[in-house]
Amino acid sequence: MDASPSSMKLLKFLLLCLLCTMLFYSVMCSSKIHCNEKDMNTLLRFKTGVTDPSGVLSSWFPKLDCCQWTGVKCDNITGRVTHLNLPCHTTQPKVVALDEKDDKSHCLTGEFSLTLLELEFLWYLDFSNNDFKSIQYNSMGSQKCDQLSRGNLPHLCRNSTNLRLLDLSLNYDLLVDNLHWISRLSSLQYLSLEGVHLHKEIDWLQSVTMLPSLIELHLQRCQLENIYPFLQYANFTSLQALKLSGNDFESELPSWLFNLSCDISYIDLSQNKIHSQLPKTLPNLRRVKFLTLSQNYLKGPIPNWLGQLEQLQGLDLSHNFFSGPIPASLGNLSSLTTLVLDSNELNENLPDNLWHLFNLERLSILKNSLTGIVSERNLLSFSKLRWFAMSSPGLIFDFDPEWVPPFQLQHLTLGYVRDKLPAWLFTQSSLKYLIIEDSTASFEPLDKFWNFATQLKFFNLVNNTINGDISNVLLSSEHVWLASNNLRGGMPRISPDVVALTLYNNSLSGSISPLLCDSMKNKSNLVHLDMGYNHLTGELTDCWNDWKSLVHIDLGYNNLTGKIPHSMGSLSNLRFLYLESNKFFGEVPFSLNNCKNLWILDLGHNNLSGVIPNWLGQSVRGLKLRSNQFSGNIPTQLCQLGSLMVMDFASNRLSGPIPNCLHNFTAMLFSNASTLKVGFIVHLPGFPLIITCGITMLIKGNELEYMNFMNVIDLSNNILSGSVPLEIYMLTGLQSLNLSHNQLLGTIPQEIGNLKQLEAIDLSRNQFSGEIPESMAVLHYLSVLNLSLNNFVGEIPTGTQLGSTNLSYIGNPHLCGAPLTKICPQDEKSNNTKHAGEEDDDDKSELYSWFYMGLGIGFAVGFLGVLGAIFFNRRCRHAYFRFLHRMYDFVIQKMNSIY
C-alpha cells in the first residue's frame, strides 16, 4: 500500500529534526568549551599561596585552558569549574615506625585560601591528605563578612549554594581558627576535617548545625573540647553520620545526641573522656546502624533498649567501666555482623596518621566488668555474624558441645575461658583471626588445635595454660603471637608466610638454630622475632643472612652464650635488637655498623668486653650496655647521636672523663620524651600489626620496662674521673641522671637549675665538694635525690630535702641543716636561747608540756594523714614540706624551752 501524502510529510519532518539534532551535536562536539575566565583567575590566586614541591600544579598557567589543568573538571556546556580533586597520595611502606609520619614531601603545602569558595558552580572540593599549614580567609574572610552591609555582600560572604563535598582531612598540621565560614555552605552534604587542628574552635556545633543539607560530618581528632553536654537539641535535619572520635571531650554524654530529629545511622564518639551512664530509656536512635562509644569513662549497666535497635549492625562500648549482665535483648539484633564483648587491650595514643586504618564496624564491649552465663541461646539469632569477641572475668561460657552455630566467623576473640574451649570453634572454616587470652581451658587434643590453626592469618594466644610441646608444630599464620602459655620443648617450624613470631615468656629450651637454620630458606617476610624470657641455650646462630627483612629481634632473658655473630650485620632493616640478660662475651661486632636504622640496642647484663662501639648509626635512641665488662674512655663519637634518649653504661669498667659534648644529644633538650611511644607498624593485608617496643631502665631505684621513653643518662658504677662538664647541664629535657660510684670531683654548678624536668639525680660515692647550689630548689619534679658520701659543705638549701631523707646526705661530715640532725653554726645561738616563760610555776609548765606534746602528736597525725595525697602532686611538695619543716622547728623549740 502506498503511503499517504500526510504520512510522507510527517516522515520528512522527523528526518529533518533528526538531521538538525545530529548537526547541533556535531557542532557542539567539534567546538571546544573553554574555561570560564573568572574561574581561571580564582584558581591562579589560590595557587599563589601554595607551595608545590612536586609540580602538581605545573599545568596551572594561563596559556592552557584551565579545564585541562590537573585536578580540575569543568561543566561540558558552560565551562564553569565544578570539581577540584587534588588529594595527595602517599605510599605506605610495609614497615613504618610508630611516630613516623607519612612522607608528604611531595604534597601541597602552605596556605589554603578560601578564595576557592568564589567558584560559584563548584560542588566537589577535595584537598585531603596534603600538608597545608593555615587557612587564608582573604580580605573578605568570614570574620569580616558579618560587618558588611547585606546589599553588597561578595560571593564569599553569600551562601555558596553548590558546594556539596568539602574534604580537607588528614592535613595534620593545618590550624583552623574558626568555622564560621562553614555555615555559609548551605548545600554542603559531606564535610571532613579529620585530623585538622580545631582546638581554638568553640562554636563548631553552631556552625555545622546551620548546614541544612549536611549528611556526613567527620571531625575526628580535631582537638575539640566542648561537646555541649547540656544542650537539649541540635538542629541536624539531614545528618546520617557523625564522627567525633579522638577529641578532648571531657564531660557527660550530650543530651542533644539522643534527641536528634534526623534518621542518623552512624555515631562515633570513641577515644574521648566522656563520663556518665547511657540513658535508661530508648532514645531517638531507632535507625542507627553503628554506635561507637569505646575508650571513654562510661559506667553503669548496658541498657536493655540496645536490643530494640533493629537495624544495628555495629556496637562498640569497649574500654569503659560498664558492669552487670549482658542484656538478653541483644539477642534480638539479627542484623549484627560483628559481636564483640571482650576485654582485650587495643593500642592507644597512636599517631594521628594511623587511626584511619581501623574499621570499627563491630559490636565491641571491651574492658568492662560483665557477669553472667554465655551460651548458644545468646547467639541463635546471629546468622550474619562475622566478628565475635567476648571476654570478662565474670562471664561463664556454657556451650552445648553438639551445637553448630548458624554463622561462619572471620574473627573470634575469647577470654577467661574455663574448663574447655567451645567445641563449635572447630566448625568455623572461614575463621582467619583468632585471639584466646587469660584462659585456663584445656586445649586438648593439641594436634587437632594446631591443625585447625593452619587456616588462620592472625593467631594470638596470650596468658593461657596450654602446657604443650611445640617442637613438631608448623606455624604458618602471618601473625603468630604465643606469649605466656607455658609452651615447652624446642623450636617449632615456621612457614615462609610468617611475618611476626612471638614466643615470649614460655618454657622453651634448647638451641635457636633449628628455627633459623633448618627451616625453609628465603624468609624474606619475617619482620618480628620475640623469643625473650625462655630457657634457650647454646650459641647464637650464624644464619642471619637468610632473614634480612627482620626489624625487631628480642632474645633477652635466656641462657644464650658465645659471641654475637657477625652475620647479624646483614640485617639492614633492623631497628630493635634486645640481647640483654644472657651470657654473651667478646666484643660487639663491627658488622652491626651496617644496621643504619637501629633505634634500640640493648646488650645489658652480659659479659661483653672491649671498648664502647663508636660507629653506631645516628638513628639510635636507646643504647643500653649496663652490667658488662666494657673498658676505656667514653668515645666522643657518640656525641653525634642526636636522637639518643637513653644512655645506660652503668656497671662497667669505663675510665677517664665524661665527654664535654653530650649537649649534642638534641633529643634530650625536649620534655616530650615521656609521651613518645617507640615501635612500628607492619601493614599486612586487611589489618595493621602494631608493635610497641620499650627498654628496661633502672630509675628511682626500680628496674622496670618503660614503654614510653625517658631522657636518661646512667654512667654509675664505673671508674670515671674529672669534673662533670657544664655541657651536661644544657640538656634541659633530662629526666634522670646517675653518676654515682665513680671518682668524679668538683662542685655542682648553679646551672643544674636548668634541668627543670629532672626527676632523679644520684651523685653519691664520688668526690664532689663545695656547697649545694640554691638553684636545686627550683627542680620541682625532683623526687629522688642522693648526694651521700661526698665532701659537700655548708647548709642544705631549703627545698632540696623534699622527697629526701637524711640518707640522701650522709657521709658529708661538713653538711648541716634539715633533714640532718646537725645544726648549722648560725642556728646554734637561736636554739640555745631560753624562752621567758621557762621559769613559770610547775602547773603552768605542766600545762605547756601537755599542750606542746598534744601539738606534736597532732602534727604527726596530720602529717601522716595528708602525706599520701601530697606525694601524688609533686608540684605541691616544696611549699608543703617547707611549711612542715618550719612547723617542726617551732614545735621542737617550744618543747625544748619547756623541758
Side-chain angles (χ1 to χ4, degrees):
M1 181 186 301
D2 295 336
S4 63
S6 59
S7 299
M8 291 298 295
K9 289 182 179 179
L10 179 60
L11 180 61
K12 289 180 180 179
F13 176 75
L14 292 175
L15 288 173
L16 181 61
C17 290
L18 178 61
L19 181 62
C20 291
T21 302
M22 293 175 63
L23 181 62
F24 172 77
Y25 277 102
S26 176
V27 172
M28 290 295 296
C29 292
S30 61
S31 62
K32 186 176 181 180
I33 302 299
H34 292 284
C35 170
N36 179 272
E37 183 177 358
K38 180 180 178 183
D39 289 354
M40 181 182 67
N41 291 332
T42 299
L43 294 175
L44 291 175
R45 288 202 310 273
F46 169 79
K47 181 183 176 182
T48 59
V50 176
T51 301
D52 183 12
S54 60
V56 174
L57 305 182
S58 59
S59 62
W60 286 32
F61 62 95
K63 293 185 179 180
L64 182 66
D65 185 359
C66 76
C67 293
Q68 301 179 28
W69 291 357
T70 301
V72 180
K73 183 179 178 180
C74 300
D75 185 272
N76 290 332
I77 297 177
T78 64
R80 302 304 296 266
V81 174
T82 59
H83 287 66
L84 283 178
N85 189 22
L86 286 166
C88 185
H89 300 287
T90 53
T91 57
Q92 289 281 5
K94 184 175 181 179
V95 180
V96 62
L98 263 182
D99 64 341
E100 190 173 331
K101 295 183 178 180
D102 294 342
D103 181 11
K104 293 190 175 184
S105 59
H106 61 290
C107 299
L108 300 176
T109 185
E111 291 184 342
F112 185 87
S113 175
L114 292 182
T115 188
L116 290 178
L117 299 183
E118 296 179 18
L119 298 170
E120 300 176 50
F121 292 87
L122 183 69
W123 69 273
Y124 187 99
L125 179 58
D126 184 357
F127 279 84
S128 60
N129 203 38
N130 277 285
D131 197 25
F132 288 104
K133 308 298 183 184
S134 62
I135 281 191
Q136 176 60 44
Y137 299 97
N138 294 333
S139 59
M140 294 300 179
S142 62
Q143 294 178 344
K144 293 192 175 183
C145 289
D146 296 334
Q147 302 174 7
L148 299 175
S149 61
R150 291 179 176 265
N152 299 314
L153 289 179
H155 175 74
L156 184 60
C157 291
R158 300 195 304 268
N159 286 343
S160 178
T161 56
N162 288 300
L163 191 64
R164 293 165 194 170
L165 181 145
L166 175 59
D167 192 346
L168 298 178
S169 63
L170 309 183
N171 282 269
Y172 295 115
D173 294 327
L174 179 59
L175 175 63
V176 178
D177 292 325
N178 66 74
L179 288 177
H180 299 309
W181 52 277
I182 288 287
S183 60
R184 296 180 174 85
L185 307 177
S186 57
S187 298
L188 199 63
Q189 298 178 3
Y190 179 99
L191 173 62
S192 180
L193 298 177
E194 177 184 354
V196 174
H197 290 188
L198 299 179
H199 59 282
K200 292 184 180 179
E201 171 56 42
I202 58 174
D203 295 327
W204 66 271
L205 186 59
Q206 179 182 1
S207 298
V208 296
T209 52
M210 295 177 67
L211 303 175
S213 304
L214 190 64
I215 296 175
E216 290 193 35
L217 177 61
H218 300 255
L219 297 180
Q220 305 99 305
R221 294 173 298 284
C222 291
Q223 302 185 26
L224 297 172
E225 296 180 357
N226 191 356
I227 198 172
Y228 306 92
F230 304 112
L231 184 67
Q232 292 297 314
Y233 299 97
N235 189 29
F236 288 114
T237 56
S238 305
L239 195 65
Q240 295 182 16
L242 175 66
K243 299 185 179 182
L244 298 173
S245 63
N247 283 291
D248 297 322
F249 301 135
E250 193 170 352
S251 63
E252 299 179 359
L253 278 168
S255 300
W256 57 265
L257 180 66
F258 302 105
N259 294 319
L260 295 175
S261 59
C262 53
D263 292 330
I264 194 165
S265 61
Y266 196 115
I267 297 175
D268 185 358
L269 293 178
S270 61
Q271 305 159 39
N272 283 287
K273 299 177 183 177
I274 299 174
H275 54 84
S276 60
Q277 295 189 18
L278 290 177
K280 296 181 179 180
T281 57
L282 177 63
N284 189 23
L285 297 175
R286 290 186 178 274
R287 296 186 181 274
V288 70
K289 296 180 180 178
F290 299 93
L291 178 60
T292 303
L293 302 175
S294 62
Q295 298 185 49
N296 282 288
Y297 300 124
L298 299 173
K299 57 186 178 180
I302 298 176
N304 284 314
W305 55 259
L306 288 172
Q308 300 180 43
L309 304 179
E310 298 177 354
Q311 299 186 29
L312 195 65
Q313 299 176 27
L315 173 63
D316 189 344
L317 302 180
S318 63
H319 294 263
N320 283 286
F321 297 93
F322 291 107
S323 58
I326 300 172
S329 61
L330 291 185
N332 301 328
L333 303 176
S334 58
S335 298
L336 279 177
T337 60
T338 309
L339 175 62
V340 183
L341 300 167
D342 70 350
S343 57
N344 294 292
E345 290 289 341
L346 296 178
N347 290 281
E348 302 179 20
N349 300 318
L350 293 177
D352 286 340
N353 59 319
L354 299 178
W355 281 112
H356 68 278
L357 299 173
F358 292 93
N359 182 0
L360 294 177
E361 187 173 322
R362 60 186 182 181
L363 169 56
S364 176
I365 304 179
L366 306 153
K367 203 176 181 181
N368 297 296
S369 300
L370 304 177
T371 58
I373 297 176
V374 179
S375 68
E376 63 275 6
R377 291 189 296 271
N378 300 98
L379 308 178
L380 290 175
S381 302
F382 300 142
S383 60
K384 300 179 181 179
L385 200 61
R386 297 295 177 265
W387 185 319
F388 175 55
M390 185 169 291
S391 172
S392 182
L395 292 176
I396 298 175
F397 295 93
D398 186 18
F399 290 100
D400 186 336
E402 303 297 326
W403 180 60
V404 177
F407 48 76
Q408 276 292 322
L409 298 174
Q410 296 177 358
H411 183 119
L412 172 63
T413 297
L414 295 174
Y416 299 98
V417 184
R418 303 172 182 86
D419 298 328
K420 200 163 187 176
L421 293 180
W424 60 262
L425 166 65
F426 299 100
T427 69
Q428 301 300 299
S429 58
S430 299
L431 194 67
K432 298 300 179 185
Y433 306 92
L434 174 64
I435 301 173
I436 303 177
E437 296 186 333
D438 303 308
S439 296
T440 58
S442 170
F443 283 70
E444 298 288 347
L446 280 173
D447 289 345
K448 180 179 181 180
F449 182 81
W450 294 122
N451 288 333
F452 174 77
T454 58
Q455 74 182 49
L456 304 171
K457 293 178 62 177
F458 182 102
F459 185 23
N460 192 330
L461 303 180
V462 176
N463 198 26
N464 300 294
T465 54
I466 298 178
N467 297 325
D469 189 327
I470 61 171
S471 301
N472 297 317
V473 173
L474 174 64
L475 301 174
S476 57
S477 305
E478 291 183 27
H479 173 106
V480 179
W481 206 278
L482 305 176
S484 304
N485 293 290
N486 200 26
L487 298 172
R488 304 187 310 273
M491 294 295 97
R493 293 173 295 127
I494 63 173
S495 78
D497 297 326
V498 178
V499 174
L501 175 62
T502 292
L503 295 170
Y504 170 89
N505 195 28
N506 285 286
S507 299
L508 302 177
S509 58
S511 173
I512 194 176
S513 296
L515 175 71
L516 298 179
C517 300
D518 299 342
S519 297
M520 299 174 63
K521 299 296 182 180
N522 301 318
K523 301 296 187 307
S524 59
N525 289 319
L526 191 64
V527 169
H528 170 82
L529 175 64
D530 188 348
M531 308 282 294
Y533 287 91
N534 279 283
H535 306 305
L536 303 179
T537 57
E539 295 190 359
L540 197 54
T541 176
D542 202 21
C543 299
W544 298 101
N545 290 319
D546 295 322
W547 306 86
K548 289 184 169 60
S549 58
L550 277 168
V551 171
H552 180 279
I553 298 174
D554 190 344
L555 299 174
Y557 296 91
N558 281 285
N559 294 309
L560 297 168
T561 186
K563 295 184 177 182
I564 300 175
H566 290 275
S567 61
M568 296 197 84
S570 65
L571 306 176
S572 57
N573 293 310
L574 192 64
R575 293 198 179 193
F576 306 91
L577 178 58
Y578 300 90
L579 300 177
E580 79 274 25
S581 296
N582 280 285
K583 299 176 182 178
F584 295 116
F585 56 82
E587 298 185 355
V588 180
F590 180 75
S591 61
L592 289 181
N593 180 46
N594 298 322
C595 303
K596 303 295 185 183
N597 297 315
L598 200 62
W599 277 18
I600 295 180
L601 177 60
D602 189 344
L603 305 178
H605 300 280
N606 282 285
N607 293 311
L608 297 169
S609 58
V611 297
I612 300 289
N614 59 8
W615 34 257
L616 293 169
Q618 296 188 12
S619 299
V620 174
R621 300 187 180 190
L623 181 58
K624 180 183 171 185
L625 306 178
R626 162 185 292 271
S627 299
N628 280 283
Q629 303 296 325
F630 290 108
S631 58
N633 293 351
I634 299 174
T636 57
Q637 290 88 341
L638 293 182
C639 295
Q640 301 174 11
L641 306 180
S643 300
L644 193 65
M645 302 169 67
V646 176
M647 178 184 182
D648 187 353
F649 297 169
S651 300
N652 282 283
R653 298 176 180 176
L654 302 177
S655 58
I658 298 175
N660 60 4
C661 55
L662 297 187
H663 61 286
N664 291 322
F665 296 155
T666 52
M668 295 191 188
L669 298 175
F670 304 101
S671 59
N672 62 343
S674 59
T675 64
L676 176 64
K677 282 188 177 295
V678 178
F680 59 98
I681 304 108
V682 184
H683 292 285
L684 299 176
F687 69 96
L689 172 61
I690 302 168
I691 298 175
T692 57
C693 305
I695 188 168
T696 303
M697 295 182 283
L698 180 61
I699 299 177
K700 304 179 184 179
N702 297 311
E703 189 167 17
L704 301 171
E705 184 173 11
Y706 289 80
M707 303 308 293
N708 289 45
F709 264 36
M710 294 182 68
N711 290 323
V712 175
I713 294 178
D714 192 342
L715 304 177
S716 62
N717 201 20
N718 282 285
I719 322 171
L720 299 174
S721 57
S723 59
V724 179
L726 283 175
E727 287 78 6
I728 206 169
Y729 302 109
M730 299 170 61
L731 301 175
T732 52
L734 192 63
Q735 294 168 279
S736 179
L737 175 64
N738 192 343
L739 304 178
S740 64
H741 294 256
N742 280 287
Q743 298 175 11
L744 299 169
L745 46 79
T747 61
I748 302 177
Q750 291 288 345
E751 284 80 0
I752 195 173
N754 296 332
L755 307 183
K756 298 287 196 298
Q757 304 298 319
L758 202 61
E759 299 181 24
I761 180 170
D762 190 346
L763 304 180
S764 63
R765 294 183 181 271
N766 280 285
Q767 299 173 26
F768 290 109
S769 58
E771 296 186 350
I772 300 173
E774 293 279 353
S775 60
M776 293 190 73
V778 302
L779 302 179
H780 299 301
Y781 291 110
L782 191 63
S783 59
V784 173
L785 171 65
N786 193 350
L787 303 179
S788 63
L789 298 169
N790 280 285
N791 298 310
F792 292 112
V793 300
E795 183 177 6
I796 299 174
T798 302
T800 57
Q801 73 272 24
L802 301 182
S804 304
T805 66
N806 59 347
L807 296 178
S808 298
Y809 306 99
I810 62 171
N812 291 277
H814 300 294
L815 272 181
C816 61
L820 298 177
T821 57
K822 181 179 179 180
I823 301 174
C824 294
Q826 60 270 29
D827 296 329
E828 283 191 43
K829 187 174 182 179
S830 59
N831 286 339
N832 291 330
T833 302
K834 300 294 183 179
H835 288 271
E838 183 180 3
E839 298 179 356
D840 286 348
D841 59 88
D842 292 341
D843 292 339
K844 187 174 182 181
S845 176
E846 185 177 0
L847 177 62
Y848 273 96
S849 299
W850 283 107
F851 171 77
Y852 287 118
M853 288 175 64
L855 181 60
I857 295 171
F859 164 76
V861 173
F863 175 80
L864 293 173
V866 300
L867 183 60
I870 291 298
F871 274 137
F872 284 99
N873 189 345
R874 283 183 295 217
R875 295 183 182 274
C876 294
R877 290 184 189 177
H878 291 277
Y880 184 79
F881 276 96
R882 187 180 299 116
F883 164 74
L884 294 182
H885 171 55
R886 291 174 179 172
M887 187 173 181
Y888 177 80
D889 284 346
F890 171 76
V891 172
I892 294 300
Q893 290 173 14
K894 289 294 184 184
M895 294 182 71
N896 286 337
S897 66
I898 294 173
Y899 292 105

PDB file of all heavy atoms in Angstrom, residues 507-524:
ATOM      1  N   SER A 507      58.397 -21.714  78.285  1.00  0.00           N
ATOM      2  CA  SER A 507      59.410 -22.588  78.879  1.00  0.00           C
ATOM      3  C   SER A 507      60.153 -23.339  77.788  1.00  0.00           C
ATOM      4  O   SER A 507      60.510 -24.519  77.942  1.00  0.00           O
ATOM      5  CB  SER A 507      58.751 -23.579  79.855  1.00  0.00           C
ATOM      6  OG  SER A 507      58.111 -22.891  80.915  1.00  0.00           O
ATOM      7  N   LEU A 508      60.393 -22.686  76.664  1.00  0.00           N
ATOM      8  CA  LEU A 508      61.100 -23.298  75.545  1.00  0.00           C
ATOM      9  C   LEU A 508      62.571 -23.455  75.899  1.00  0.00           C
ATOM     10  O   LEU A 508      63.157 -22.607  76.590  1.00  0.00           O
ATOM     11  CB  LEU A 508      60.933 -22.460  74.287  1.00  0.00           C
ATOM     12  CG  LEU A 508      59.479 -22.228  73.839  1.00  0.00           C
ATOM     13  CD1 LEU A 508      59.436 -21.322  72.616  1.00  0.00           C
ATOM     14  CD2 LEU A 508      58.796 -23.551  73.546  1.00  0.00           C
ATOM     15  N   SER A 509      63.180 -24.504  75.391  1.00  0.00           N
ATOM     16  CA  SER A 509      64.571 -24.797  75.738  1.00  0.00           C
ATOM     17  C   SER A 509      65.326 -25.241  74.495  1.00  0.00           C
ATOM     18  O   SER A 509      64.751 -25.429  73.417  1.00  0.00           O
ATOM     19  CB  SER A 509      64.629 -25.883  76.824  1.00  0.00           C
ATOM     20  OG  SER A 509      63.973 -27.054  76.391  1.00  0.00           O
ATOM     21  N   GLY A 510      66.620 -25.401  74.678  1.00  0.00           N
ATOM     22  CA  GLY A 510      67.460 -25.859  73.576  1.00  0.00           C
ATOM     23  C   GLY A 510      67.983 -24.707  72.747  1.00  0.00           C
ATOM     24  O   GLY A 510      67.939 -23.540  73.133  1.00  0.00           O
ATOM     25  N   SER A 511      68.464 -25.039  71.568  1.00  0.00           N
ATOM     26  CA  SER A 511      69.098 -24.072  70.682  1.00  0.00           C
ATOM     27  C   SER A 511      68.075 -23.395  69.779  1.00  0.00           C
ATOM     28  O   SER A 511      67.029 -23.979  69.443  1.00  0.00           O
ATOM     29  CB  SER A 511      70.161 -24.765  69.831  1.00  0.00           C
ATOM     30  OG  SER A 511      70.667 -23.891  68.856  1.00  0.00           O
ATOM     31  N   ILE A 512      68.406 -22.188  69.370  1.00  0.00           N
ATOM     32  CA  ILE A 512      67.545 -21.465  68.426  1.00  0.00           C
ATOM     33  C   ILE A 512      67.861 -21.840  66.990  1.00  0.00           C
ATOM     34  O   ILE A 512      67.118 -21.508  66.071  1.00  0.00           O
ATOM     35  CB  ILE A 512      67.691 -19.939  68.637  1.00  0.00           C
ATOM     36  CG1 ILE A 512      66.569 -19.177  67.933  1.00  0.00           C
ATOM     37  CG2 ILE A 512      69.054 -19.454  68.168  1.00  0.00           C
ATOM     38  CD1 ILE A 512      66.605 -17.690  68.170  1.00  0.00           C
ATOM     39  N   SER A 513      68.944 -22.557  66.787  1.00  0.00           N
ATOM     40  CA  SER A 513      69.392 -22.889  65.429  1.00  0.00           C
ATOM     41  C   SER A 513      68.358 -23.637  64.597  1.00  0.00           C
ATOM     42  O   SER A 513      68.199 -23.353  63.408  1.00  0.00           O
ATOM     43  CB  SER A 513      70.696 -23.690  65.488  1.00  0.00           C
ATOM     44  OG  SER A 513      71.730 -22.920  66.047  1.00  0.00           O
ATOM     45  N   PRO A 514      67.633 -24.629  65.151  1.00  0.00           N
ATOM     46  CA  PRO A 514      66.650 -25.327  64.308  1.00  0.00           C
ATOM     47  C   PRO A 514      65.615 -24.399  63.693  1.00  0.00           C
ATOM     48  O   PRO A 514      65.150 -24.648  62.578  1.00  0.00           O
ATOM     49  CB  PRO A 514      66.000 -26.323  65.278  1.00  0.00           C
ATOM     50  CG  PRO A 514      67.032 -26.559  66.327  1.00  0.00           C
ATOM     51  CD  PRO A 514      67.725 -25.237  66.493  1.00  0.00           C
ATOM     52  N   LEU A 515      65.249 -23.355  64.414  1.00  0.00           N
ATOM     53  CA  LEU A 515      64.253 -22.429  63.888  1.00  0.00           C
ATOM     54  C   LEU A 515      64.800 -21.637  62.711  1.00  0.00           C
ATOM     55  O   LEU A 515      64.130 -21.469  61.695  1.00  0.00           O
ATOM     56  CB  LEU A 515      63.797 -21.477  64.990  1.00  0.00           C
ATOM     57  CG  LEU A 515      62.828 -20.370  64.555  1.00  0.00           C
ATOM     58  CD1 LEU A 515      61.471 -20.965  64.228  1.00  0.00           C
ATOM     59  CD2 LEU A 515      62.679 -19.319  65.649  1.00  0.00           C
ATOM     60  N   LEU A 516      66.033 -21.141  62.853  1.00  0.00           N
ATOM     61  CA  LEU A 516      66.564 -20.206  61.871  1.00  0.00           C
ATOM     62  C   LEU A 516      67.424 -20.870  60.808  1.00  0.00           C
ATOM     63  O   LEU A 516      67.548 -20.337  59.695  1.00  0.00           O
ATOM     64  CB  LEU A 516      67.403 -19.126  62.584  1.00  0.00           C
ATOM     65  CG  LEU A 516      66.644 -18.252  63.593  1.00  0.00           C
ATOM     66  CD1 LEU A 516      67.578 -17.258  64.245  1.00  0.00           C
ATOM     67  CD2 LEU A 516      65.480 -17.532  62.939  1.00  0.00           C
ATOM     68  N   CYS A 517      68.033 -21.991  61.115  1.00  0.00           N
ATOM     69  CA  CYS A 517      68.960 -22.611  60.171  1.00  0.00           C
ATOM     70  C   CYS A 517      68.379 -23.813  59.447  1.00  0.00           C
ATOM     71  O   CYS A 517      68.777 -24.107  58.314  1.00  0.00           O
ATOM     72  CB  CYS A 517      70.240 -23.031  60.889  1.00  0.00           C
ATOM     73  SG  CYS A 517      71.127 -21.666  61.674  1.00  0.00           S
ATOM     74  N   ASP A 518      67.444 -24.536  60.079  1.00  0.00           N
ATOM     75  CA  ASP A 518      66.919 -25.752  59.480  1.00  0.00           C
ATOM     76  C   ASP A 518      65.587 -25.552  58.786  1.00  0.00           C
ATOM     77  O   ASP A 518      65.103 -26.459  58.103  1.00  0.00           O
ATOM     78  CB  ASP A 518      66.758 -26.844  60.551  1.00  0.00           C
ATOM     79  CG  ASP A 518      68.080 -27.203  61.197  1.00  0.00           C
ATOM     80  OD1 ASP A 518      69.134 -26.881  60.598  1.00  0.00           O
ATOM     81  OD2 ASP A 518      68.068 -27.784  62.306  1.00  0.00           O
ATOM     82  N   SER A 519      64.956 -24.380  59.002  1.00  0.00           N
ATOM     83  CA  SER A 519      63.672 -24.127  58.355  1.00  0.00           C
ATOM     84  C   SER A 519      63.892 -23.800  56.882  1.00  0.00           C
ATOM     85  O   SER A 519      65.018 -23.724  56.394  1.00  0.00           O
ATOM     86  CB  SER A 519      62.956 -22.968  59.049  1.00  0.00           C
ATOM     87  OG  SER A 519      62.670 -23.296  60.392  1.00  0.00           O
ATOM     88  N   MET A 520      62.800 -23.591  56.181  1.00  0.00           N
ATOM     89  CA  MET A 520      62.885 -23.255  54.756  1.00  0.00           C
ATOM     90  C   MET A 520      63.615 -21.934  54.580  1.00  0.00           C
ATOM     91  O   MET A 520      63.505 -21.031  55.394  1.00  0.00           O
ATOM     92  CB  MET A 520      61.468 -23.174  54.175  1.00  0.00           C
ATOM     93  CG  MET A 520      60.688 -24.476  54.270  1.00  0.00           C
ATOM     94  SD  MET A 520      58.979 -24.300  53.751  1.00  0.00           S
ATOM     95  CE  MET A 520      59.199 -23.842  52.036  1.00  0.00           C
ATOM     96  N   LYS A 521      64.354 -21.812  53.534  1.00  0.00           N
ATOM     97  CA  LYS A 521      65.175 -20.631  53.289  1.00  0.00           C
ATOM     98  C   LYS A 521      64.334 -19.482  52.717  1.00  0.00           C
ATOM     99  O   LYS A 521      63.152 -19.606  52.437  1.00  0.00           O
ATOM    100  CB  LYS A 521      66.321 -20.976  52.335  1.00  0.00           C
ATOM    101  CG  LYS A 521      67.249 -22.047  52.888  1.00  0.00           C
ATOM    102  CD  LYS A 521      67.972 -21.581  54.139  1.00  0.00           C
ATOM    103  CE  LYS A 521      68.930 -22.611  54.684  1.00  0.00           C
ATOM    104  NZ  LYS A 521      69.626 -22.164  55.888  1.00  0.00           N
ATOM    105  N   ASN A 522      65.017 -18.369  52.504  1.00  0.00           N
ATOM    106  CA  ASN A 522      64.414 -17.168  51.911  1.00  0.00           C
ATOM    107  C   ASN A 522      63.231 -16.664  52.737  1.00  0.00           C
ATOM    108  O   ASN A 522      62.135 -16.451  52.236  1.00  0.00           O
ATOM    109  CB  ASN A 522      63.979 -17.428  50.471  1.00  0.00           C
ATOM    110  CG  ASN A 522      65.134 -17.848  49.591  1.00  0.00           C
ATOM    111  OD1 ASN A 522      66.234 -17.286  49.690  1.00  0.00           O
ATOM    112  ND2 ASN A 522      64.903 -18.835  48.740  1.00  0.00           N
ATOM    113  N   LYS A 523      63.468 -16.495  54.028  1.00  0.00           N
ATOM    114  CA  LYS A 523      62.417 -15.989  54.920  1.00  0.00           C
ATOM    115  C   LYS A 523      62.356 -14.468  54.842  1.00  0.00           C
ATOM    116  O   LYS A 523      62.562 -13.776  55.824  1.00  0.00           O
ATOM    117  CB  LYS A 523      62.702 -16.421  56.357  1.00  0.00           C
ATOM    118  CG  LYS A 523      62.783 -17.924  56.535  1.00  0.00           C
ATOM    119  CD  LYS A 523      61.464 -18.590  56.227  1.00  0.00           C
ATOM    120  CE  LYS A 523      61.487 -20.064  56.566  1.00  0.00           C
ATOM    121  NZ  LYS A 523      62.585 -20.773  55.976  1.00  0.00           N
ATOM    122  N   SER A 524      62.076 -13.947  53.680  1.00  0.00           N
ATOM    123  CA  SER A 524      62.095 -12.501  53.499  1.00  0.00           C
ATOM    124  C   SER A 524      60.906 -11.819  54.150  1.00  0.00           C
ATOM    125  O   SER A 524      60.868 -10.597  54.225  1.00  0.00           O
ATOM    126  CB  SER A 524      62.127 -12.168  51.998  1.00  0.00           C
ATOM    127  OG  SER A 524      60.996 -12.718  51.351  1.00  0.00           O
TER     128      SER A 524
END
